[in-house]
């Protein structure tokens, strides 16, 4: 019996049956203040949020990003890797924020640069998501959730 098990495992390994295909992790390019690769935001909301963030840019660089999925990465890993790739904020200030929504995964996160951690703590970012964003997203109101979230982030960072 033991020999049969060893032969079966060897056959599976040699036969390629153990190959697992994980979803590829894709990072969008930073093309503006709002990068909606999930296509869930209206043009009006994208324009309104972009204008808000452009006006606020001197205090902090905030990006809103929607992606369908974070692939094989957790939302935390994805947002950190995205922040490292994009480097939002000004050099020497690390005053960038990424407001990330993975629409199909139903995950979201606010990634805050070190220069803003005193103004926008992890606890406060969590409260913004819980109280200002998720109530809209529960009703599939992507525009409302993003507008409310961005407004709350700006208020905290001021």
């Amino acid at each position: 019996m033991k020999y049969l098990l060893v032969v079966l495992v060897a056959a599976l390994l040699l036969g390629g049956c153990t190959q697992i295909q994980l979803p590829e992790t894709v990072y969008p390019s930073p093309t503006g203040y709002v990068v909606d690769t999930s296509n869930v935001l209206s043009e009006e909301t994208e324009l309104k949020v972009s204008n808000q963030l452009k006006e606020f840019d001197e205090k902090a660089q905030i990006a809103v990003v929607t992606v369908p999925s974070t692939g094989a990465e957790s939302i935390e890993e994805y947002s950190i890797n995205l922040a490292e790739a994009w480097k939002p904020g000004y050099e020497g200030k690390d005053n960038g924020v990424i407001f990330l929504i993975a629409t199909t995964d139903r995950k979201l996160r606010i990634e805050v640069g070190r220069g803003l951690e005193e103004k926008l703590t992890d606890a406060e970012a969590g409260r913004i998501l819980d109280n200002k964003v998720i109530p809209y997203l529960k009703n599939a109101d992507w525009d409302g959730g993003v507008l409310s979230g961005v407004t709350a982030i700006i208020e905290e960072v001021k």
Side-chain angles (χ1 to χ4, degrees), residues 41-58:
L41 301 175
S42 69
E43 287 182 31
E44 180 183 320
T45 296
E46 282 191 51
L47 183 60
K48 183 175 183 174
V49 170
S50 291
N51 288 336
Q52 274 183 296
L53 298 178
K54 184 177 182 179
E55 288 177 24
F56 194 71
D57 190 84
E58 288 183 26

Side-chain angles (χ1 to χ4, degrees), residues 25-47:
T25 303
V26 177
Y27 300 102
S29 297
T31 56
Y33 294 101
V34 179
V35 179
D36 179 26
T37 63
S38 290
N39 295 314
V40 293
L41 301 175
S42 69
E43 287 182 31
E44 180 183 320
T45 296
E46 282 191 51
L47 183 60

Side-chain angles (χ1 to χ4, degrees), residues 59-148:
K59 292 195 182 217
Q61 286 187 334
I62 302 169
V64 175
V65 183
T66 70
V67 295
S69 176
T70 61
E73 295 181 344
S74 68
I75 191 82
E76 295 82 8
E77 292 171 318
Y78 190 94
S79 65
I80 290 168
N81 290 335
L82 186 62
E84 288 175 2
W86 284 18
K87 299 188 185 337
Y90 291 104
E91 193 171 331
K93 291 186 176 184
D94 200 7
N95 61 341
V97 175
I98 294 180
F99 175 16
L100 173 65
I101 303 173
T103 55
T104 303
D105 294 347
R106 301 177 58 104
K107 304 280 183 187
L108 56 160
R109 181 164 174 86
I110 298 172
E111 191 64 46
V112 181
R114 292 184 195 264
L116 294 175
E117 286 179 336
E118 287 183 20
K119 292 184 176 188
L120 183 57
T121 65
D122 287 343
E124 188 55 40
R127 279 192 287 279
I128 290 170
L129 295 176
D130 290 343
N131 300 328
K132 304 290 184 179
V133 180
I134 291 174
Y136 288 96
L137 299 187
K138 283 183 176 180
N139 295 313
D141 183 357
W142 303 101
D143 292 330
V146 166
L147 286 166
S148 180

